[in-house]
Amino acid sequence: MACSGSSSTPAGDASVADARDATTDTADVPQTPPARCRAGTRWDRAAGMPAFRVNDAAWGLAEITGKRLATADLDNDGWSDLVVWNDVVNTRSDLDATPPVFNTRVLMNRPREGGGRRFVDATRASNLLAIRAGGYGREVQSVAFADVDNDGDLDAYTGTMPTQTPAAGQNADPGDRGTVMLNDGHGVFSLGPESDATPGDEAFPQTIGAVFADQDLDGRVDLFVGYHSETFGLPIGQQSQLFRGDGAGRFADVTDEAGLTLGTNTASLTSRTNNRPLYGLTVCDVNNDRRPDMLGAAYGRQFNLLMTSDGASYRDDSIASNVGGDANQDYSDNLSYRCYCQSNPGRCPATVPAPPSGFCPGRGWRAGVDDQPWRNNGNSFSIACGDVDNDGDMDLYTGEIAHADVGGSSDRAQLLVNRTEAGMPARFERIDRTTNGLAIPLQRSADEGVLSNAFFDFDNDGRLDVWAGGSDYPQNRGWLYQQNDDGRFTEVSTRAGIVHPCPIGFALADFDHDGDLDVVLATSLARTCSTDWMGRATVRMYENVAGDQNWTSIRLVGRGEGGANRAGLGARVKITAGGVTQTRDIVGNWGLAGLGTDLVAHAGLGANCTIERIEVQWPDAMGTTETFTDVPANYRLEVRQGEGRVRYLTD
């Protein structure tokens, strides 16, 4: 089989275009490449050897700071790059200041002198922060990547959360809004055309997440954008939007046409048809009909959002599916409710206990509001999709903040196992955290927070593990859970060597091409986090050194218009090895502000050195499926739609 290869520029070269120009060599390899087989020894959490090592200096991250992260192959050289940003409201970067102010950085993955890889700053060279009215340094607060114009490289959408009436000491709104940036194939971006997805500065969209997907399966990616409330604390969120792509960078608002429009007044709260204030947006196919469904992580103890697609329009399955919230609506242990009862004798059952001495008035309690079902769910920030039980459908993991004084009705981070039957509406089972090992290891008195989350197989054993990225509340850090043979989980963060307080940003990829998934984390400085990190929003590389199990990594290239979108977004890949089939959906980002992974299907294969079968279900109108058999493990693969073969990639 033919093999596409690449070389790269010397370490330290910040010229994006020059770096891409050097990646042009293509080599042929034998049609059946040589077998590669690892020992297949699973990482042993009891052995005392870490699964990750901190390697910031070698990767050029020692001086980099930031709060949020995204990753994608920006210059099309086969290596995952980084975008890092600080999420500062109403504030642009100023690269000409002394010292330069980098609220957003673009970091390219380059060879390191002496071997290995490192990130090199290309913020200016990339032109990602161009301002339409002129100048450079555009504000960025959420990021998504896809091949918008089907020309073979990844373009970008960046969103903002402008403050219309800034508080004392805050900057005035600079006017930056949602922007589409087109890639020239070398990692140099230019402003895309103006359209419905690029509002003028008179609008104030609170963009907290954006996700690309091909909603109508026409081979051109569309754009979902999720919003928070226009004013923080309001129970009605801004209307999420669906923009249909024309294949050239323009996007038309089809929210109403697609049936995504919800309520915009307080009366809709009781009917649960309101726009929720969202903190994260996720798109994946939850009911196996090949159509991208939309999940919204809702704030304010409201029901999470699940809008399922039938191709023409969307249906609100939030509550019927069990995604909206858990079954616990009992607020009797809410200490603020107990304060209300203490101050209003006769309005509560006599059995309600008194609150702790000195606690009241607490958070306050509004009878007729805080006792309603729509106010007894979770403060959700991210929802991750993945086939955690290898049964061929997408399960979910919700990330929540829960305050101990609010009690058990406040939803906790939880695994939702997909129980959807063929041809039936989506349905999920919420698994008790005390039975599956996913309880967060905090004392009851602490505030629990999971702002970022992910499914990924860090030890390449063929079972998805869980990342629960903690919040910026005291005692919170990131928690890594290893899945055991019986489907339960064991928390292994400390033993794995990935201990990180206050992780807000999360990026996942095989950054060094050694066959396992590395993690980059960015850091909040809110609350006690500044003390934890001595005032520095550290960006840290956790390089995976988990062992020698076998693996595969599959990149898809769609045909474009008339077939699947070029980046393969929304494709489903089924990988069978050792009689076990793993299912991976191609997604680029999800959740809070755009948590990111590169656009490949990575699967650990354990001790198996041969993949018995790879099935690719392309996201096109025809429902095209391609199958490949007897594929050797431990190669980075590429499948191009309709070509009928697997390509083996070399570095």
Side-chain angles (χ1 to χ4, degrees):
M1 296 184 181
C3 173
S4 298
S6 67
S7 59
S8 300
T9 56
D13 188 349
S15 170
V16 178
D18 289 348
R20 181 63 187 94
D21 287 344
T23 66
T24 56
D25 69 325
T26 300
D28 289 328
V29 298
Q31 186 161 350
T32 302
R36 292 178 176 177
C37 195
R38 295 184 171 186
T41 305
R42 187 184 188 193
W43 177 75
D44 183 356
R45 57 179 175 258
M49 296 298 292
F52 295 89
R53 66 179 176 188
V54 175
N55 206 8
D56 300 345
W59 279 90
L61 294 176
E63 303 304 319
I64 302 297
T65 60
K67 184 176 180 181
R68 304 200 188 280
L69 297 165
T71 186
D73 179 6
L74 301 181
D75 58 352
N76 220 18
D77 67 349
W79 298 85
S80 298
D81 309 302
L82 278 178
V83 178
V84 182
W85 67 101
N86 276 305
D87 194 24
V88 183
V89 174
N90 288 1
T91 305
R92 289 172 171 169
S93 296
D94 186 354
L95 277 60
D96 296 321
T98 305
V101 177
F102 286 98
N103 283 323
T104 303
R105 283 185 185 266
V106 177
L107 303 174
M108 309 305 293
N109 189 339
R110 296 281 184 261
R112 183 172 67 238
E113 186 176 353
R117 306 290 298 186
R118 72 190 306 264
F119 292 111
V120 176
D121 189 277
T123 307
R124 191 185 294 274
S126 72
N127 202 43
L128 184 67
L129 307 183
I131 299 169
R132 196 170 296 277
Y136 197 69
R138 191 181 69 258
E139 184 180 356
V140 170
Q141 283 160 326
S142 60
V143 177
F145 292 103
D147 190 350
V148 165
D149 49 9
N150 279 332
D151 65 350
D153 51 51
L154 294 179
D155 311 298
Y157 170 86
T158 67
T160 62
M161 293 187 70
T163 299
Q164 188 170 8
T165 54
Q170 281 187 330
N171 294 330
D173 171 29
D176 296 335
R177 300 295 185 266
T179 305
V180 174
M181 301 296 294
L182 299 180
N183 195 337
D184 71 348
H186 304 280
V188 179
F189 293 84
S190 59
L191 289 156
E194 295 185 75
S195 67
D196 291 347
T198 59
D201 59 11
E202 72 281 356
F204 284 87
Q206 301 297 293
T207 308
I208 195 59
V211 185
F212 284 107
D214 186 358
Q215 184 269 335
D216 54 356
L217 302 182
D218 66 351
R220 300 174 291 192
V221 293
D222 309 306
L223 175 64
F224 294 84
V225 180
Y227 305 107
H228 203 279
S229 299
E230 187 168 339
T231 301
F232 183 81
L234 290 181
I236 302 293
Q238 291 184 319
Q239 172 66 55
S240 298
Q241 291 179 286
L242 170 61
F243 300 101
R244 183 154 295 153
D246 71 349
R250 293 180 177 83
F251 291 85
D253 187 349
V254 294
T255 307
D256 290 345
E257 175 186 330
L260 287 169
T261 303
L262 298 175
T264 58
N265 56 66
T266 55
S268 62
L269 289 165
T270 55
S271 63
R272 307 164 194 176
T273 57
N274 63 296
N275 296 310
R276 282 70 145 178
L278 300 182
Y279 261 122
L281 199 65
T282 301
V283 171
C284 66
D285 176 12
V286 302
N287 54 6
N288 288 352
D289 66 353
R290 301 188 306 107
R291 300 284 181 176
D293 307 306
M294 187 183 81
L295 294 143
Y299 187 68
R301 311 276 316 279
Q302 297 198 42
F303 290 100
N304 288 327
L305 193 65
L306 171 59
M307 306 294 289
T308 56
S309 172
D310 64 6
S313 64
Y314 282 81
R315 178 180 64 200
D316 187 349
D317 283 333
S318 308
I319 298 168
S321 66
N322 217 21
V323 170
D326 67 22
N328 187 349
Q329 300 281 316
D330 180 5
Y331 51 82
S332 62
D333 60 351
N334 187 315
L335 298 186
S336 295
Y337 169 67
R338 293 180 180 181
C339 290
Y340 169 83
C341 293
Q342 186 179 62
S343 300
N344 297 272
R347 296 189 179 181
C348 304
T351 55
V352 175
S357 177
F359 176 81
C360 297
R363 301 174 186 274
W365 183 264
R366 297 165 295 174
V369 174
D370 295 324
D371 51 8
Q372 297 301 300
W374 67 267
R375 275 285 288 166
N376 280 279
N377 302 288
N379 294 306
S380 305
F381 284 77
S382 293
I383 301 175
C385 293
D387 184 10
V388 75
D389 50 6
N390 286 339
D391 68 347
D393 52 31
M394 292 296 108
D395 309 299
L396 307 176
Y397 181 67
T398 62
E400 317 274 358
I401 279 181
H403 304 294
D405 63 280
V406 175
S409 67
S410 186
D411 296 359
R412 267 59 175 177
Q414 193 170 18
L415 176 67
L416 280 66
V417 173
N418 198 328
R419 303 298 190 199
T420 305
E421 298 179 11
M424 300 297 290
R427 185 176 67 86
F428 289 84
E429 178 186 0
R430 289 177 171 264
I431 307 300
D432 187 341
R433 303 191 318 175
T434 63
T435 66
N436 67 358
L438 286 175
I440 301 296
L442 281 179
Q443 297 299 317
R444 174 68 174 164
S445 60
D447 294 303
E448 174 185 311
V450 175
L451 302 187
S452 62
N453 56 11
F455 291 111
F456 72 108
D457 183 3
F458 80 88
D459 54 0
N460 278 345
D461 67 348
R463 302 177 185 87
L464 288 178
D465 308 300
V466 170
W467 169 254
S471 70
D472 42 29
Y473 285 98
Q475 303 179 38
N476 277 235
R477 58 176 175 84
W479 293 282
L480 179 65
Y481 296 86
Q482 183 183 32
Q483 186 176 172
N484 304 316
D485 294 348
D486 61 1
R488 294 180 175 88
F489 296 83
T490 300
E491 198 275 316
V492 297
S493 307
T494 301
R495 283 171 282 183
I498 189 167
V499 179
H500 195 108
C502 312
I504 302 297
F506 174 89
L508 176 72
D510 183 3
F511 289 102
D512 52 8
H513 283 187
D514 67 349
D516 47 38
L517 293 171
D518 310 299
V519 173
V520 182
L521 297 177
T523 309
S524 171
L525 293 182
R527 299 181 176 89
T528 61
C529 300
S530 186
T531 300
D532 292 338
W533 289 99
M534 295 185 291
R536 189 172 181 279
T538 300
V539 175
R540 177 146 290 170
M541 164 62 79
Y542 292 91
E543 196 174 84
N544 195 325
V545 291
D548 57 0
Q549 300 219 78
N550 298 285
W551 58 277
T552 190
S553 177
I554 306 167
R555 178 177 182 261
L556 303 182
V557 181
R559 191 181 292 121
E561 191 166 347
N565 66 90
R566 286 289 297 275
L569 274 170
R572 176 160 291 183
V573 184
K574 296 185 176 183
I575 302 156
T576 302
V580 175
T581 299
Q582 301 179 60
T583 302
R584 299 287 185 267
D585 280 6
I586 303 297
V587 297
N589 59 281
W590 70 94
L592 179 60
L595 308 172
T597 186
D598 54 2
L599 296 175
V600 299
H602 180 97
L605 304 175
N608 299 293
C609 300
T610 299
I611 304 167
E612 295 145 26
R613 176 185 173 95
I614 296 174
E615 179 181 289
V616 178
Q617 299 174 1
W618 292 97
D620 61 15
M622 295 77 69
T624 305
T625 298
E626 294 186 82
T627 300
F628 309 92
T629 58
D630 297 325
V631 179
N634 304 312
Y635 283 93
R636 292 188 306 111
L637 310 176
E638 181 179 89
V639 175
R640 301 185 179 186
Q641 186 177 16
E643 193 173 78
R645 62 170 179 162
V646 172
R647 292 172 175 248
Y648 297 82
L649 305 182
T650 60
D651 298 331

